[in-house]
Amino acid sequence: MIRVRGRIGDLPVELEIELGSEDWQNLRDAAAQTAPSTAPKPVVDAWDGHWEGARALLRQAGELSGPQLLDQLAALAGSPQAGKRLLVRLRHCAQVKVEPVGGAPLYRWVG
């Protein structure tokens, strides 16, 4: 038996569902038939287009200070928050070397 209790607005709700062994078996069979037989498709990263643009931007410039790069990435991605995400992603990219220079990091393309 499955019992569901709750409220809909101010009204209390209680629902009981009784299933026999045959009902449970039918549910198991139905679940097995609807289960995916192949591996799920990979999710496409919504930032891939901006990511390629960010890499190309730094590659063409050779090196940029953190604030300059952040301004350009924010313009590319459409918002300061999106620009910061791209900046963090570049910081961890194998083709980018980050060096502290003065008060701001210097992002250099080494790939």
Side-chain angles (χ1 to χ4, degrees):
M1 177 185 330
I2 300 172
R3 181 174 291 155
V4 179
R5 292 182 185 158
R7 299 187 77 77
I8 298 178
D10 293 335
L11 301 174
V13 175
E14 186 171 321
L15 174 68
E16 291 183 6
I17 302 171
E18 288 191 35
L19 298 173
S21 59
E22 184 177 306
D23 297 321
W24 285 109
Q25 185 60 47
N26 289 341
L27 283 174
R28 281 192 289 274
D29 293 343
Q33 290 175 358
T34 59
S37 59
T38 60
K41 295 180 182 179
V43 176
V44 176
D45 187 358
W47 291 99
D48 280 346
H50 294 306
W51 173 237
E52 291 305 321
R55 292 178 63 213
L57 187 147
L58 187 56
R59 188 179 323 119
Q60 290 171 358
E63 65 182 33
L64 288 169
S65 72
Q68 290 173 326
L69 183 56
L70 178 57
D71 288 344
Q72 292 186 24
L73 292 174
L76 172 74
S79 74
Q81 293 84 6
K84 286 180 185 178
R85 285 192 290 269
L86 289 170
L87 190 68
V88 169
R89 196 168 172 187
L90 279 171
R91 178 180 287 276
H92 298 287
C93 177
Q95 294 91 7
V96 176
K97 185 173 182 180
V98 182
E99 299 172 356
V101 177
L106 181 68
Y107 288 76
R108 181 175 290 138
W109 184 265
V110 294

